[in-house]
Amino acid sequence: MANARAPKPYARYAWTLLFAFWALHLVLSVRDFFPNLQDLCLACPPGAQTAIQSSTGMTWSQLMSTNPRFASFLASTLVDDGISGVGLAIFGMIVSLTSFRRGEKWAWYVSWSMPIGILVAQLNVYQLTGSVFVIILAIAFALVSLLALFLPYRLFFPKRMAHVS
């Protein structure tokens, strides 16, 4: 027998946290369609190197002027990454808006891609930039996404009612 109690408001609306993170992922993925924005590091303190600078030793504009063929190849790779990121973000937004919101178990498991993805991606950025601020942001975002997963836990995994004979 299913648990007849209505979920608490924090459990009922936890999906909005995941939806907001997927929307942020969408915006950040769209940035990859514009390679010249790679000189902008959103998670770096002022004066820190971007991933492009630490990888190539140049800003995007310097790379474009000194090695346009490589820059063109890299731009194509960034656009491919943007396409994948946008697709993943749209999928995550749809899952959080529908199946996660309804408490379907598969959506809870799939939604673990958010905190895992954040940590892996930000560790990669940290490796490239050395910015500790990236790690702080990664931990904060991962904790909020874990909160979004665990607040509605009983919606996905209700306690079994003892059957009285």
Side-chain angles (χ1 to χ4, degrees):
M1 179 180 254
N3 192 348
R5 288 189 298 167
K8 304 263 189 225
Y10 62 80
R12 203 174 28 219
Y13 297 110
W15 68 271
T16 60
L17 292 172
L18 287 176
F19 185 87
F21 274 6
W22 285 119
L24 178 61
H25 188 278
L26 177 71
V27 170
L28 294 175
S29 294
V30 167
R31 183 181 92 135
D32 287 344
F33 291 115
F34 307 99
N36 56 335
L37 293 178
Q38 297 306 310
D39 283 338
L40 183 75
C41 184
L42 301 174
C44 297
Q49 287 192 333
T50 64
I52 293 290
Q53 287 173 313
S54 63
S55 298
T56 65
M58 297 179 258
T59 65
W60 182 259
S61 55
Q62 291 169 335
L63 183 61
M64 283 293 293
S65 63
T66 59
N67 196 341
R69 291 185 78 170
F70 179 69
S72 177
F73 168 75
L74 189 55
S76 173
T77 303
L78 286 167
V79 169
D80 286 348
D81 184 54
I83 292 168
S84 299
V86 165
L88 180 64
I90 290 170
F91 175 74
M93 289 168 70
I94 290 170
V95 167
S96 60
L97 185 62
T98 59
S99 300
F100 188 91
R101 187 177 179 181
R102 287 192 296 258
E104 296 176 17
K105 283 183 188 180
W106 72 268
W108 190 81
Y109 290 115
V110 166
S111 295
W112 274 89
S113 64
M114 177 54 74
I116 293 168
I118 288 171
L119 288 174
V120 171
Q122 294 308 93
L123 285 173
N124 183 52
V125 172
Y126 172 74
Q127 180 186 11
L128 291 171
T129 63
S131 173
V132 177
F133 187 63
V134 169
I135 297 298
I136 294 168
L137 279 177
I139 291 169
F141 283 138
L143 287 175
V144 173
S145 61
L146 287 171
L147 191 64
L149 287 166
F150 286 117
L151 283 176
Y153 184 80
R154 286 292 167 216
L155 180 65
F156 295 95
F157 305 98
K159 289 182 182 175
R160 294 185 183 186
M161 303 281 288
H163 185 67
V164 180
S165 304

